[in-house]
Amino acid sequence: MRSLNIAATGMLAQQLNVEVISNNIANINTTGYKRQRAEFHDLLYQDLLRPGTTSSDTGTVVPSGIQIGLGVKPAAVYRITEQGNLVITDNNLDLAINGKGYFAVELPSGDTGYTRSGALGRSPDGDLVTANGYIVQPGITIPNDAISVTINAQGEVLVAIDGQLTPSTVGQIQLANFPNEAGLQAIGNNLFLETPGSGNAILAAAGSPGFGTIQQGALETSNVNVVAEITNLITAQRAYEMNSRVIQASDEMMSSMVQLR
Amino acid sequence: MENSLIVALARQSVLARQMDAISNNLANLNTAGFKSESMVFKEQIESAGDNQVISLVHDVTYFRDTTAGPMTNTDNPLDLAIRGEGFFAVETDDGQRYTRHGVFQLDRQGRVVTSDGHPLLGAGGAPITVPPNTSNIIVARDGTVSADAQKIGRIELFSFENPAALSKIGNSLYEAKGQAPQATRDSDIAQGMVEGSNVNGVVEMTRMIDTVRSYQSAGKLVEMEHKRILDAINTLVAEA
């Protein structure tokens, strides 16, 4: 009975689908989270009668043949990098990227990680760091005597120091862009790593052609759409149930075969 | 002599294959661009001697339902759905293959590829390459691809004289098998949408129940026939 195994591939695929959906729903309030979608492909085909086989010596051909499909397999779980909404937080170190691009951060391993989550803070040395304490590249140090920090759309960090009339620039935040954003490897903590699939990072100042601008005092919400996720969850659950019914039915067929003698 | 056993066997073997087809449809309930399939049965007349004929059942072919699946909105600029009968052409190691699974991504060179990395072919058979630092990809209804308002190519759709004769090779790809693909402009592309599977769960479940019950009744026939033969033997032996 091929149908038992075919239905099992169907159940496994829907299980993966539910897992991806539940991760989206779990991250509904995660800053900068991009929703994921599971995509499926049909599995191999067994040719019982090949399409196009000659059915007589006058050259007539079988129009469509008999090909038995052997189920389904996950093809990809890809990220949809649509822009999330911006929420105003009024915290002057909360930065949202409006458009394409990632903040580059130095990971403890020495590698460069990339993130869209701009909830930044200051380290004890005054460096601009992420919520995990990783330094945002290129390193920008805010002097201890700064009374206010302004970050403009191009990522320039301007600090006002008591006694100085004009604010001074202490650095400019760079954004990283990739030929294929969906190919980045997610490593948790809102961080991504570059992979051969994503291509090499292209660094430029915010606001350069093709790069987003920076919005101070705001955060980018996740782009998860609850209604869509719940609808997908219902579809996935029903598909799972139907496949489990197929297993039951195949089992009934087999048991009726066993009971013959 | 044991013709009824052979008839029941023929019935059961085609029903088992029908069950495989139904379970494959249900397994692909959420596979983008999947087309449901059902089997076509034919009566086969066999002579059984003494001017008697028996009719056996035989599966001759597959019927592929090529109606469009439901469109779902994903808002991903590289999810493309085809309205109409066309197919996307993709380049694989074994040559050109066709698909309606319109979920594409960019690879590191910026080419538009399927989830297996096969490049999507544009007009003239060249892959479509999106320049780096593009912030906005727009695919028009006729397949024209623009990157930041700059035209970079056009996706060519192909149609076939007999789409049912395309051979499925898995991974949502079809092989032309000798049919000449014709570039078509009758179909158009919807961006940000995915064409779902056209499998109807309720119909498949009903057919599945039908298949299981027919299989069981064929089994019953075998059982009764077996009993009849056994009775015959017992009666004849008792009389001897």
Side-chain angles (χ1 to χ4, degrees):
Chain A
M1 286 301 271
R2 278 178 285 239
S3 49
L4 268 177
N5 289 323
I6 296 172
T9 66
M11 284 178 81
L12 285 174
Q14 295 314 324
Q15 193 178 325
L16 176 85
N17 203 357
V18 172
E19 281 160 8
V20 172
I21 294 167
S22 61
N23 189 45
N24 284 343
I25 296 177
N27 281 296
I28 201 146
N29 277 338
T30 305
T31 308
Y33 178 79
K34 300 294 174 197
R35 69 175 187 270
Q36 288 186 301
R37 222 181 100 88
E39 229 5 272
F40 302 101
H41 272 169
D42 47 2
L43 213 58
L44 301 175
Y45 282 81
Q46 263 184 344
D47 282 331
L48 298 188
L49 179 63
R50 291 182 76 86
T53 310
T54 313
S55 58
S56 74
D57 62 356
T58 52
T60 51
V61 290
V62 174
S64 60
I66 302 176
Q67 289 193 293
I68 292 203
L70 296 180
V72 63
K73 69 167 185 192
V77 177
Y78 65 100
R79 245 188 319 281
I80 296 180
T81 52
E82 194 192 21
Q83 171 84 42
N85 297 329
L86 298 191
V87 281
I88 304 294
T89 61
D90 287 332
N91 177 5
N92 62 7
L93 288 181
D94 279 349
L95 306 180
I97 302 172
N98 192 357
K100 277 182 85 171
Y102 292 80
F103 297 110
V105 296
E106 193 190 328
L107 303 181
S109 60
D111 292 335
T112 308
Y114 300 92
T115 182
R116 294 272 301 181
S117 166
L120 305 182
R122 282 161 71 177
S123 73
D125 307 325
D127 292 329
L128 212 50
V129 293
T130 65
N132 301 83
Y134 304 155
I135 297 173
V136 176
Q137 298 295 308
I140 293 165
T141 312
I142 294 167
N144 285 334
D145 51 352
I147 51 169
S148 83
V149 180
T150 309
I151 299 168
N152 66 18
Q154 278 67 45
E156 282 178 318
V157 184
L158 304 158
V159 294
I161 292 166
D162 218 1
Q164 289 181 9
L165 278 178
T166 46
S168 50
T169 308
V170 291
Q172 187 169 16
I173 294 170
Q174 281 197 325
L175 295 183
N177 219 341
F178 297 90
N180 174 26
E181 280 181 79
L184 290 171
Q185 182 195 354
I187 53 167
N189 290 328
N190 286 342
L191 290 168
F192 295 97
L193 290 181
E194 183 183 303
T195 68
S198 67
N200 295 329
I202 307 156
L203 287 164
S208 311
F211 286 79
T213 55
I214 287 177
Q215 173 83 44
Q216 191 185 15
L219 285 176
E220 184 188 6
T221 62
S222 75
N223 67 355
V224 178
N225 177 343
V226 205
V227 182
E229 294 302 329
I230 297 293
T231 322
N232 291 342
L233 182 65
I234 294 171
T235 325
Q237 194 191 346
R238 292 292 164 248
Y240 188 85
E241 284 172 6
M242 284 189 202
N243 279 296
S244 76
R245 286 284 175 187
V246 175
I247 292 189
Q248 244 174 42
S250 311
D251 180 41
E252 261 178 60
M253 282 168 79
M254 273 166 83
S255 80
S256 80
M257 207 151 53
V258 172
Q259 282 163 10
L260 279 183
R261 268 228 64 179
Chain B
M1 200 184 80
E2 266 74 44
N3 284 335
S4 36
L5 282 179
I6 299 166
V7 172
L9 176 69
R11 180 81 182 125
Q12 281 193 316
S13 51
V14 296
L15 283 171
R17 283 210 279 275
Q18 162 129 312
M19 187 67 185
D20 294 342
I22 293 169
S23 53
N24 190 48
N25 287 343
L26 282 171
N28 286 290
L29 204 57
N30 270 344
T31 306
F34 184 81
K35 301 291 170 205
S36 73
E37 286 173 330
S38 48
M39 308 207 72
V40 178
F41 298 135
K42 191 178 76 170
E43 187 183 26
Q44 187 166 349
I45 308 285
E46 294 281 337
S47 138
D50 300 341
N51 296 329
Q52 283 181 6
V53 287
I54 57 163
S55 62
L56 299 174
V57 62
H58 178 51
D59 41 3
V60 273
T61 185
Y62 243 62
F63 172 72
R64 191 178 301 143
D65 179 2
T66 53
T67 52
M71 300 266 186
T72 27
N73 195 351
T74 64
D75 290 328
N76 191 29
L78 287 175
D79 284 347
L80 309 174
I82 301 175
R83 283 198 214 93
E85 294 277 282
F87 288 85
F88 295 110
V90 296
E91 185 68 49
T92 70
D93 294 343
D94 306 323
Q96 209 155 311
R97 297 288 181 269
Y98 304 90
T99 184
R100 281 183 69 97
H101 189 276
V103 176
F104 297 101
Q105 289 169 21
L106 295 179
D107 67 1
R108 58 181 310 181
Q109 288 121 42
R111 292 182 305 176
V112 179
V113 294
T114 66
S115 39
D116 293 328
H118 302 312
L120 171 68
L121 297 180
I128 290 164
T129 308
V130 177
N133 289 338
T134 300
S135 53
N136 205 356
I137 302 170
I138 299 288
V139 182
R141 281 175 72 106
D142 68 343
T144 307
V145 187
S146 323
D148 291 336
Q150 182 96 38
K151 187 186 161 187
I152 53 170
R154 193 173 70 82
I155 299 167
E156 190 87 88
L157 297 180
F158 292 92
S159 67
F160 294 90
E161 214 158 280
N162 180 10
L166 294 173
S167 174
K168 283 192 169 185
I169 55 168
N171 291 334
S172 303
L173 296 176
Y174 295 90
E175 197 181 334
K177 286 279 176 200
Q179 284 195 78
Q182 270 138 18
T184 176
R185 293 225 179 206
D186 294 339
S187 304
D188 43 43
I189 294 178
Q191 192 184 17
M193 308 276 256
V194 166
E195 182 192 0
S197 157
N198 73 348
V199 175
N200 185 335
V202 179
V203 173
E204 297 297 331
M205 293 307 280
T206 329
R207 280 174 44 204
M208 184 184 81
I209 294 168
D210 188 38
T211 308
V212 174
R213 295 291 168 244
S214 309
Y215 191 87
Q216 286 170 338
S217 71
K220 208 82 182 166
L221 182 74
V222 174
E223 203 181 319
M224 284 163 76
E225 181 64 8
H226 172 66
K227 236 171 122 185
R228 189 186 64 78
I229 296 169
L230 207 66
D231 280 355
I233 294 169
N234 286 343
T235 318
L236 291 174
V237 170
E239 280 175 359

